[in-house]
């Protein structure tokens, strides 16, 4: 899709067998977390080409992408907003200040001791590192007996831990593109999780039973949360919980949801290509006027097959 937009595409990946290598104009075997090497590559590219954009599809390369955006004045998330979105405590503080609906929670450090009795919300609860990603170090705790193990596990990934109430409801995923602080919606779907204690996604679908007003609310909350975190340009995704008629924000990140959701399910359901429009946006600084809310989606489902 990037090449269809007339772009010269340079791919990087820690995996030397990644399927995108065969499609890209150039490939460099660099990890998404190797910020210095990626900045060096960007410098080399900028000497031969006009650098117009950086695209990454995981949390691990967000910091490098943001630093390249800042250095070369590209349309995308700046480093400070990326750092805030990754730091769950700081993100929560800013979103609370903007009246974004969030789960109740507290942050502790590695010297703290805490028991379930001292919490002002009930079990089950979620224990997570404040600045990890990809669900690393996250545990769902049923009772007092599991607290210490969950905290110690989270401390393997961060020096601070966020403890939050667990909200039982329907998982709602949204994606969109921010342009000068305005959110352009690009897809909404349901994610269904396994039972506690693991709560990993087992299937999801588009064409939800949410009303148009409820869908507009989900997108509005995504926009307000993104602006609160300083994500004013580029892709954004939100993880929401819909429970008893209300949305609660779990996480907002300056990238799209994964390939299955963004580039398959939403594409098959609506014919809307978020990534393709983002690449065109890099070139033209424009996005289509048609709203995804005006498209009647097909029903599309994905399901994980587990042994």
């Amino acid at each position: 899709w990037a090449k269809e937009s007339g772009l010269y595409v340079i791919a990087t990946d820690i995996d030397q067998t990644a399927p995108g290598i065969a499609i890209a104009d150039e490939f460099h075997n660099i990890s998404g977390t190797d910020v210095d090497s990626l900045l060096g590559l960007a410098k080399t590219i900028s000497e031969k080409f006009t650098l117009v954009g950086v695209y990454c599809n995981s949390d691990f390369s967000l910091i490098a992408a943001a630093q390249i955006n800042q250095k070369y004045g590209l349309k995308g998330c700046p480093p400070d907003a990326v750092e805030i979105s990754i730091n769950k405590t700081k993100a929560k503080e800013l979103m609370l200040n903007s009246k974004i609906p969030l789960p109740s929670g507290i942050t502790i450090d590695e010297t703290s001791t805490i028991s379930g009795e001292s919490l002002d919300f009930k079990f089950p609860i979620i224990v997570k590192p404040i600045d990890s990603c990809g669900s690393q170090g996250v545990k769902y705790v049923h009772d007092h007996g599991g607290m210490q193990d969950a905290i110690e596990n989270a401390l393997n990934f961060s020096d601070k831990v966020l403890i939050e109430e667990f909200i039982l409801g329907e998982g709602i995923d949204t994606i969109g593109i921010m342009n000068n602080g305005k959110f352009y919606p690009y897809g909404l779907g349901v994610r269904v999780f396994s039972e506690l204690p693991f709560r990993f996604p087992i299937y999801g679908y588009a064409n939800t039973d949410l009303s148009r007003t409820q869908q507009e609310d989900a997108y509005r909350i995504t926009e307000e949360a993104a602006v609160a975190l300083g994500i004013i340009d580029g892709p954004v995704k939100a993880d929401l919980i819909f429970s008893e008629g209300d949305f609660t924000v779990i996480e907002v990140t300056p990238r799209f949801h994964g390939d299955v959701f963004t580039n398959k399910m939403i594409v098959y359901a609506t014919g809307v290509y978020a990534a393709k429009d983002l690449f065109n946006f890099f070139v033209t600084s424009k996005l289509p006027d048609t709203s995804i809310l005006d498209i009647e989606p097909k029903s599309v489902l994905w399901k994980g097959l587990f042994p």
Side-chain angles (χ1 to χ4, degrees):
W1 296 338
K3 293 178 77 171
E4 285 177 11
S5 299
L7 295 170
Y8 186 86
V9 181
I10 300 169
T12 65
D13 205 303
I14 195 172
D15 179 6
Q16 297 188 59
T17 65
I21 295 171
I23 308 170
D25 295 298
E26 281 185 36
F27 170 71
H28 296 266
N29 183 210
I30 304 173
S31 166
T33 60
D34 188 346
V35 177
D36 290 340
S37 294
L38 289 168
L39 281 168
L41 177 61
K43 183 176 185 299
T44 300
I45 294 168
S46 69
E47 292 169 352
K48 296 191 295 181
F49 301 98
T50 300
L51 190 57
V52 297
V54 185
Y55 176 77
C56 59
N57 64 350
S58 75
D59 291 342
F60 303 104
S61 48
L62 285 175
I63 294 173
Q67 292 203 21
I68 294 169
N69 288 334
Q70 184 180 60
K71 185 170 182 178
Y72 294 94
L74 306 179
K75 278 273 195 179
C77 192
D80 55 348
V82 169
E83 290 171 9
I84 289 169
S85 70
I86 292 173
N87 185 314
K88 296 175 178 61
T89 300
K90 184 63 175 176
K92 192 165 187 173
E93 177 185 324
L94 290 174
M95 286 192 286
L96 281 172
N97 290 341
S98 294
K99 312 299 184 190
I100 307 299
L102 301 171
S104 298
I106 61 170
T107 302
I108 63 171
D109 60 36
E110 59 185 328
T111 61
S112 299
T113 58
I114 190 167
S115 66
E117 291 89 341
S118 61
L119 301 175
D120 61 358
F121 43 92
K122 298 178 180 179
F123 286 98
I125 60 174
I126 303 168
V127 178
K128 61 180 78 171
I130 68 160
D131 55 3
S132 184
C133 54
S135 297
Q136 295 179 114
V138 179
K139 282 200 173 185
Y140 296 82
V141 181
H142 276 291
D143 52 36
H144 306 300
M147 286 284 292
Q148 200 57 41
D149 176 65
I151 292 170
E152 290 174 2
N153 175 65
L155 286 171
N156 289 325
F157 298 90
S158 178
D159 60 359
K160 291 187 179 181
V161 175
L162 178 62
I163 301 173
E164 285 186 332
E165 67 172 325
F166 170 73
I167 299 174
L168 183 62
E170 196 170 55
I172 302 295
D173 294 338
T174 61
I175 57 170
I177 298 174
M178 299 293 290
N179 184 13
N180 292 324
K182 180 181 177 181
F183 178 80
Y184 290 77
Y186 268 83
L188 182 151
V190 176
R191 185 166 22 159
V192 180
F193 300 93
S194 64
E195 296 298 319
L196 289 169
F198 299 109
R199 292 291 291 177
F200 54 86
I202 52 176
Y203 68 91
Y205 55 90
N207 194 9
T208 75
D209 57 1
L210 295 176
S211 69
R212 178 169 179 131
T213 298
Q214 289 168 335
Q215 292 179 56
E216 289 172 346
D217 283 345
Y219 287 134
R220 174 185 55 78
I221 292 169
T222 301
E223 177 182 70
E224 291 174 357
V227 171
L229 300 181
I231 304 170
I232 58 171
D233 281 310
V236 65
K237 66 98 171 172
D239 301 349
L240 312 173
I241 298 293
F242 185 64
S243 178
E244 299 180 355
D246 293 316
F247 290 100
T248 301
V249 175
I250 303 302
E251 185 175 79
V252 178
T253 312
R255 64 172 175 84
F256 294 137
H257 278 288
D259 186 59
V260 170
F261 179 93
T262 301
N263 297 327
K264 297 196 170 51
M265 189 172 76
I266 295 300
V267 169
Y268 299 154
T270 66
V272 172
Y273 295 72
K276 189 173 183 177
D277 280 0
L278 179 66
F279 299 141
N280 285 322
F281 177 64
F282 287 158
V283 178
T284 66
S285 296
K286 296 179 181 178
L287 292 167
D289 293 329
T290 305
S291 171
I292 197 168
L293 284 162
D294 297 324
I295 298 171
E296 184 66 34
K298 298 176 183 177
S299 294
V300 177
L301 177 141
W302 68 266
K303 189 176 192 306
L305 302 178
F306 302 100

